[in-house]
């Protein structure tokens, strides 16, 4: 019956084959649209920050020698983190505090003299125990990517040379 309805010389595919092709195309197109949407949202947020004066330019990139440290214990002092992180290289620590009370907001920034020290600290210190808390260390996302800007196969933002792919899922 299908051969009767198809024009001469065209390939007759079953409806199931058409659905498989359409699903694969739809998933690929959906992923592309999601990426475009994320890029637009990020750009929009950056422009808002520029308008309100938080950053100088929407095209500004974060420094590559600075780590963000979260989940700190409120009793952790900047001097304590400086001693801990100085084993990777010269660094300066800034723990963010509440303006009115002066209490720690349990996060901070660590600025290293060079990028290599920053990378070593990121790889060694993420999820380590400091003052009875597992800290979260986050670095510049472009620095911890691989394959010329693609994400690492493990899903982590780490350099491929530092990741053992035989253990990746």
């Amino acid at each position: 019956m299908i051969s009767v309805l198809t024009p001469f010389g065209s390939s007759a595919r079953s409806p199931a084959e058409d659905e498989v092709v359409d699903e694969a195309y739809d998933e690929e197109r959906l992923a592309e649209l999601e990426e475009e949407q994320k890029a637009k949202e990020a750009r929009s947020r950056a422009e808002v920050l520029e308008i309100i004066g938080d950053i100088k330019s929407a095209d500004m990139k974060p420094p590559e020698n600075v780590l963000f440290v979260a989940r700190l214990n409120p009793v952790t002092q900047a001097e304590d983190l400086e001693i801990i992180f100085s084993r990777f290289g010269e660094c300066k620590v800034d723990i963010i505090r509440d303006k009115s009370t002066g209490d720690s907001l349990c996060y901070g920034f660590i600025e290293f003299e060079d990028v290599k020290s920053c990378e070593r600290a990121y790889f060694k210190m993420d999820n380590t125990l400091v003052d009875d808390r597992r800290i979260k260390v986050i670095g510049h996302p472009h620095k911890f990517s691989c394959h010329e800007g693609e994400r690492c196969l493990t899903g982590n933002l780490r350099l491929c040379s530092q990741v053992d792919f035989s253990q990746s899922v």
Side-chain angles (χ1 to χ4, degrees):
M1 183 73 169
I2 293 178
S3 61
V4 173
L5 299 175
T6 56
F8 179 72
S10 67
S11 63
R13 291 190 308 198
S14 70
E17 290 175 331
D18 285 341
E19 288 177 14
V20 170
V21 170
D22 289 344
E23 286 177 15
Y25 175 77
D26 289 344
E27 289 176 12
E28 183 178 302
R29 182 67 182 140
L30 183 63
E32 288 175 13
L33 290 173
E34 286 176 359
E35 286 297 318
E36 288 176 18
Q37 182 66 26
K38 286 179 184 178
K40 286 179 183 178
E41 288 175 4
R43 179 68 185 174
S44 175
R45 283 190 215 110
E47 288 173 352
V48 168
L49 289 174
E50 181 181 11
I51 290 169
I52 62 175
D54 279 0
I55 59 174
K56 293 179 184 176
S57 168
D59 298 322
M60 188 174 167
K61 301 285 184 231
E64 293 188 359
N65 64 331
V66 177
L67 294 176
F68 173 77
V69 183
R71 300 181 190 159
L72 294 172
N73 192 320
V75 301
T76 302
Q77 299 295 315
E79 296 80 23
D80 301 335
L81 282 181
E82 194 166 336
I83 291 169
I84 292 168
F85 279 86
S86 65
R87 73 180 195 170
F88 302 104
E90 190 69 31
C91 65
K92 182 180 123 187
V93 176
D94 187 22
I95 293 180
I96 307 304
R97 301 191 171 279
D98 184 273
K99 288 182 181 180
S100 59
T101 65
D103 293 338
S104 171
L105 295 178
C106 301
Y107 70 92
F109 298 91
I110 303 173
E111 182 178 359
F112 287 89
E113 291 290 322
D114 60 279
V115 176
K116 288 289 184 192
S117 299
C118 184
E119 288 177 10
R120 284 196 318 271
Y122 171 79
F123 291 126
K124 295 285 187 179
M125 296 303 293
D126 187 30
N127 206 30
T128 59
L129 201 60
V130 175
D131 289 334
D132 296 325
R133 288 266 182 105
R134 293 237 174 249
I135 64 171
K136 181 69 180 166
V137 179
I138 301 171
H140 184 274
H142 302 295
K143 176 175 57 181
F144 303 119
S145 61
C146 55
H147 303 298
E148 291 78 40
E150 295 178 17
R151 278 188 173 257
C152 190
L153 297 176
T154 62
N156 294 328
L157 298 176
R158 296 184 180 217
L159 294 173
C160 280
S161 61
Q162 303 292 329
V163 178
D164 180 11
F165 286 102
S166 64
Q167 297 178 1
S168 64
V169 178

